[in-house]
Amino acid sequence: MDKNQGKTGGVKGYFPKSHVHVMGFSTLLCFSFGYLWYVFSGTSSKVSDTTSSNTQDFHNIKQSSNHILEDLLQIELPRMIYTKPQILKPPRCDVLMMTPWFAPIVWEGTYNSEILNEQFRQRNDTVGLTVFAIKKYVVFLKTFLETAETYFMVGHRVNYYIFTDRPEEVPKVALKEGRNIVVLQVQNYPRWQEISMRRMEMLSYFSQQRFINEVSYLVCMDVDMKFNDQVGVEILSDLFGTLHPAFYAAERRSFTYERRPASQAYVPSDEGDFYYMGSIFGGTVMEVYKLTKKCHEAIMVDKANGIEAIWQEESHLNKYFLYHKPTKILSPEYMWDDNLGRPEILKKRRFLAVPKNHAAIRNK
């Protein structure tokens, strides 16, 4: 057998690689000519028995058919060359890549960004990135936006939704084509914990009132962070959460869930899959709406009962993910703190905590 046989870039068979696209195109033309023969022969038999007006109709059909053939000759099918996946050779054996409910866990080396980008471009979607810059947290916006322009959803359309009580302090940042900053003015609250919890309320409201009409996906992030490497469409799914960098390898008994049964965020000690970080989560607008609405309602019930979950909205987020499993999970690459060192499994540090003095920022 010729050395080229069987190597068709993903098409199984015995055709030489150089002939695959020619044969596919030839098949398309054969079908086209067959259809045209049917049209012409059927029309011709009628022309002999009809008036000259039908002759003109035949001429028009022929001209139209010629245009169809010209269009067919100009078709360029997308073509990608990449290494064939190996069923018996998983890309990584040092980490869990799939949950028991078949949700992929995203690690470096487990996906092909070129394939994902091409698939996403065909859908022509826009991604919304939400961030809260309340009070002095507005100082983190410049670094956040500048690094996002370098690393976040590169080559795709993005709306940055900035929630702030200081719209006049939102920095001017040069944006690439198809990317926009939308400033949403909101009120602040005396305590940073209250600001943190109210985030669910505002995300729920704007998802229903605005985001659903403007973007397909929402990525909800903390502002006191910076992008350090590519964060692209590999993260997108109906509903995704992110493994907490301090607990990704811990047993469930070590998770800092809300353990008081009186709280709506309560998780029993014998339950729990992972501990998720509140700094980055998202999904389709509708799924984010359902998540944030449910969490806000639970927070309000706790508030009425004089209870505040141990980690505010993050505790309610973890409760939600326990009973509404995310369809994709991001590894600690997507939320890392360099104070935790550099474990061997961490091939990338994509989204990093910015060093800060919390006492100087919170409640200011």
Side-chain angles (χ1 to χ4, degrees), residues 196-349:
S196 182
M197 290 188 293
R198 290 286 179 176
R199 186 167 66 148
M200 291 298 187
E201 177 185 21
M202 288 181 270
L203 286 172
S204 173
Y205 174 81
F206 279 95
S207 291
Q208 184 181 39
Q209 297 297 318
R210 178 167 188 164
F211 301 155
I212 193 69
N213 300 314
E214 297 179 354
V215 296
S216 300
Y217 293 93
L218 284 175
V219 181
C220 308
M221 291 181 157
D222 279 357
V223 70
D224 53 342
M225 310 287 293
K226 68 177 181 179
F227 291 88
N228 187 65
D229 211 314
Q230 298 295 325
V231 176
V233 299
E234 76 278 357
I235 73 173
L236 300 178
S237 188
D238 284 354
L239 183 65
F240 67 84
T242 305
L243 299 181
H244 195 295
F247 296 105
Y248 65 90
E251 296 298 322
R252 61 165 57 123
R253 64 177 177 272
S254 301
F255 294 163
T256 56
Y257 290 146
E258 175 54 65
R259 299 301 189 183
R260 293 171 295 175
S263 172
Q264 296 294 304
Y266 168 66
V267 175
S269 59
D270 58 350
E271 292 189 57
D273 304 305
F274 306 103
Y275 190 86
Y276 300 95
M277 191 73 175
S279 297
I280 170 172
F281 63 92
T284 63
V285 178
M286 183 54 65
E287 288 300 322
V288 171
Y289 168 71
K290 290 191 288 188
L291 179 156
T292 53
K293 183 175 184 291
K294 185 71 172 180
C295 288
H296 171 61
E297 290 172 350
I299 289 170
M300 290 297 100
V301 171
D302 273 5
K303 187 178 179 66
N305 293 327
I307 300 173
E308 185 176 286
I310 181 172
W311 293 111
Q312 294 82 40
E313 87 282 9
E314 184 174 275
S315 297
H316 291 277
L317 177 76
N318 273 275
K319 172 69 173 286
Y320 187 89
F321 278 151
L322 176 59
Y323 299 112
H324 305 81
K325 307 292 190 189
T327 55
K328 185 176 285 187
I329 296 174
L330 308 186
S331 71
E333 296 173 3
Y334 292 88
M335 177 57 249
W336 191 252
D337 188 330
D338 280 341
N339 290 324
L340 298 173
R342 294 283 297 276
E344 188 175 346
I345 63 167
L346 206 69
K347 310 301 182 184
K348 298 279 188 177
R349 293 148 50 247

Side-chain angles (χ1 to χ4, degrees), residues 27-298:
T27 302
L28 182 62
L29 285 179
C30 286
F31 278 115
S32 302
F33 279 120
Y35 171 74
L36 293 176
W37 175 85
Y38 172 78
V39 172
F40 292 162
S41 61
T43 306
S44 297
S45 63
K46 295 177 182 178
V47 166
S48 60
D49 300 324
T50 57
T51 63
S52 59
S53 61
N54 285 343
T55 303
Q56 182 61 41
D57 289 341
F58 175 80
H59 179 71
N60 292 337
I61 292 173
K62 186 175 180 180
Q63 281 190 324
S64 177
S65 301
N66 288 336
H67 288 311
I68 292 174
L69 286 176
E70 290 174 2
D71 291 340
L72 285 172
L73 292 172
Q74 294 176 9
I75 289 178
E76 293 184 9
L77 301 177
R79 184 172 184 268
M80 299 187 68
I81 303 299
Y82 51 85
T83 303
K84 177 189 177 298
Q86 299 295 323
I87 290 295
L88 302 181
K89 295 180 180 179
R92 290 188 64 166
C93 299
D94 57 337
V95 292
L96 181 67
M97 295 188 298
M98 183 74 69
T99 71
W101 59 92
F102 292 124
I105 303 176
V106 186
W107 298 87
E108 173 65 13
T110 63
Y111 61 90
N112 185 316
S113 59
E114 292 183 2
I115 298 175
L116 294 174
N117 280 324
E118 179 59 32
Q119 293 298 307
F120 190 78
R121 272 190 288 268
Q122 291 178 17
R123 295 168 54 180
N124 202 31
D125 287 336
T126 300
V127 177
L129 173 60
T130 69
V131 65
F132 285 76
I134 309 294
K135 297 185 175 181
K136 282 193 175 181
Y137 276 81
V138 74
V139 302
F140 296 107
L141 264 179
K142 190 172 190 296
T143 296
F144 180 93
L145 291 171
E146 288 179 343
T147 57
E149 278 299 286
T150 301
Y151 296 117
F152 181 73
M153 300 290 164
V154 175
H156 302 293
R157 294 199 305 272
V158 173
N159 284 355
Y160 297 106
Y161 294 112
I162 300 174
F163 293 83
T164 183
D165 60 332
R166 302 179 181 183
E168 69 282 355
E169 295 183 32
V170 173
K172 303 294 183 183
V173 175
L175 302 178
K176 298 181 178 67
E177 183 179 356
R179 300 163 79 94
N180 305 285
I181 289 178
V182 180
V183 178
L184 302 171
Q185 186 168 0
V186 295
Q187 71 177 94
N188 61 46
Y189 294 88
R191 299 171 58 248
W192 69 265
Q193 294 92 338
E194 183 78 5
I195 294 172
S196 182
M197 290 188 293
R198 290 286 179 176
R199 186 167 66 148
M200 291 298 187
E201 177 185 21
M202 288 181 270
L203 286 172
S204 173
Y205 174 81
F206 279 95
S207 291
Q208 184 181 39
Q209 297 297 318
R210 178 167 188 164
F211 301 155
I212 193 69
N213 300 314
E214 297 179 354
V215 296
S216 300
Y217 293 93
L218 284 175
V219 181
C220 308
M221 291 181 157
D222 279 357
V223 70
D224 53 342
M225 310 287 293
K226 68 177 181 179
F227 291 88
N228 187 65
D229 211 314
Q230 298 295 325
V231 176
V233 299
E234 76 278 357
I235 73 173
L236 300 178
S237 188
D238 284 354
L239 183 65
F240 67 84
T242 305
L243 299 181
H244 195 295
F247 296 105
Y248 65 90
E251 296 298 322
R252 61 165 57 123
R253 64 177 177 272
S254 301
F255 294 163
T256 56
Y257 290 146
E258 175 54 65
R259 299 301 189 183
R260 293 171 295 175
S263 172
Q264 296 294 304
Y266 168 66
V267 175
S269 59
D270 58 350
E271 292 189 57
D273 304 305
F274 306 103
Y275 190 86
Y276 300 95
M277 191 73 175
S279 297
I280 170 172
F281 63 92
T284 63
V285 178
M286 183 54 65
E287 288 300 322
V288 171
Y289 168 71
K290 290 191 288 188
L291 179 156
T292 53
K293 183 175 184 291
K294 185 71 172 180
C295 288
H296 171 61
E297 290 172 350

